[in-house]
Amino acid sequence: KAGVTQTPRYLIKTRGQQVTLSCSPISGHRSVSWYQQTPGQGLQFLFEYFSETQRNKGNFPGRFSGRQFSNSRSEMNVSTLELGDSALYLCASSHRDAEAFFGQGTRLTVV
Amino acid sequence: GQSLEQPSEVTAVEGAIVQINCTYQTSGFYGLSWYQQHDGGAPTFLSYNALDGLEETGRFSSFLSRSDSYGYLLLQELQMKDSASYFCAVRRDDYKLSFGAGTTVTVRA
C-alpha cells in the first residue's frame, strides 16, 4: 500500500510570506503528526491530529497551525515566515500507537 | 515537561557492536521507540518497548527499564549501511510521540 506522501518536496519562500504543506497518510491511519527537523535539534514535535481534532500540541508559536480533513489528510500552515523556520518538515501517520510511518518531508527554505 | 538524552555521536568499525543509551523524563510514559534515519531520508521505525526487557529484531535489539527511565538500542555485526542517525522516542499515554536529538553512528571499514 502507498506510504505517507508529503507535498511539495522542496519550497523556497521569502520572509513574511506564508506557506501551506500537505500530508496524505497511509490509508486507514487516523493519526497524523507533524515535526520540524533542523541540524542538531532532532525532531521537534509540532502537533498531532486524530479524526480531525488536534490531540496534542508542541511548543511552537501561533504562527504554526494545522488541520486535518475527514479523509485524514492533513495540512500545516506557517504564517509570517522567519529565516529560522527553514527546516525539514516531516509528517508521520500511525494506526497503532507503537509505530509511526514518516513521509519524505518538505524542505522549506526561507530567504 | 519531558526530555530525552542520548549521545550525539558514536563511531565503530564494521563487525563491531554498538550500544546507544537513552534516558528519559516524562509523565504518562507509555513506551519507548527507536528510529533510524539516513542522510536525506525519512525516519524509519526499528523497534518498540512497552514493557521491561529485551526485544530482538535481527541484528538490532532494544531494551527498556521503566523503573530506571532508561533504554538502549544494540546494533550488532555492524555494517557500512548502518551509518545513520538513530533516535529514541517516547510515546506518552496521551499519544504524543517525542524524539531525542539523535545519535549519529559512523561505521568505519
Side-chain angles (χ1 to χ4, degrees):
Chain A
K1 66 185 166 182
V4 178
T5 304
Q6 290 188 246
T7 56
R9 289 292 310 278
Y10 302 92
L11 207 48
I12 300 176
K13 289 287 190 178
T14 306
R15 270 182 305 174
Q17 287 187 312
Q18 75 165 19
V19 65
T20 299
L21 312 181
S22 179
C23 172
S24 294
I26 291 172
S27 177
H29 288 193
R30 293 160 66 188
S31 169
V32 174
S33 298
W34 289 89
Y35 296 85
Q36 180 195 66
Q37 186 174 32
T38 53
Q41 293 297 314
L43 286 81
Q44 301 294 313
F45 176 79
L46 281 155
F47 26 66
E48 185 230 352
Y49 287 87
F50 182 85
S51 293
E52 302 180 65
T53 300
Q54 188 180 84
R55 193 160 63 172
N56 281 293
K57 191 176 188 304
N59 298 320
F60 278 80
R63 299 185 296 108
F64 292 80
S65 63
R67 59 179 176 169
Q68 186 180 33
F69 301 94
S70 58
N71 61 358
S72 293
R73 190 177 70 85
S74 178
E75 289 181 347
M76 69 162 280
N77 183 277
V78 188
S79 62
T80 320
L81 282 166
E82 301 176 0
L83 294 179
D85 297 333
S86 294
L88 179 67
Y89 290 87
L90 290 160
C91 160
S93 75
S94 299
H95 174 59
R96 295 175 301 140
D97 296 332
E99 184 172 356
F101 295 84
F102 283 84
Q104 291 297 313
T106 295
R107 174 77 60 187
L108 173 65
T109 302
V110 182
V111 297
Chain B
Q2 61 186 75
S3 67
L4 295 96
E5 297 287 333
Q6 57 180 123
S8 58
E9 294 181 20
V10 172
T11 300
V13 297
E14 272 187 301
I17 299 174
V18 159
Q19 179 172 316
I20 303 171
N21 298 320
C22 175
T23 57
Y24 58 87
Q25 286 186 310
T26 187
S27 57
F29 177 84
Y30 194 77
L32 185 71
S33 304
W34 290 91
Y35 288 77
Q36 178 193 61
Q37 185 180 30
H38 286 99
D39 267 352
T44 56
F45 173 82
L46 290 176
S47 68
Y48 176 74
N49 296 71
L51 303 175
D52 286 358
L54 192 67
E55 294 282 341
E56 297 179 82
T57 309
R59 295 186 297 112
F60 295 176
S61 303
S62 59
F63 171 83
L64 175 66
S65 169
R66 294 175 67 114
S67 60
D68 295 323
S69 297
Y70 162 77
Y72 67 72
L73 179 70
L74 195 69
L75 315 179
Q76 302 180 78
E77 300 171 24
L78 272 180
Q79 302 176 9
M80 298 297 288
K81 66 178 181 180
D82 298 330
S83 291
S85 292
Y86 293 83
F87 297 88
C88 60
V90 163
R91 174 76 77 179
R92 294 191 334 193
D93 57 10
D94 63 357
Y95 306 103
K96 181 178 177 181
L97 183 64
S98 298
F99 287 77
T103 299
T104 301
V105 172
T106 303
V107 181
R108 294 184 288 111

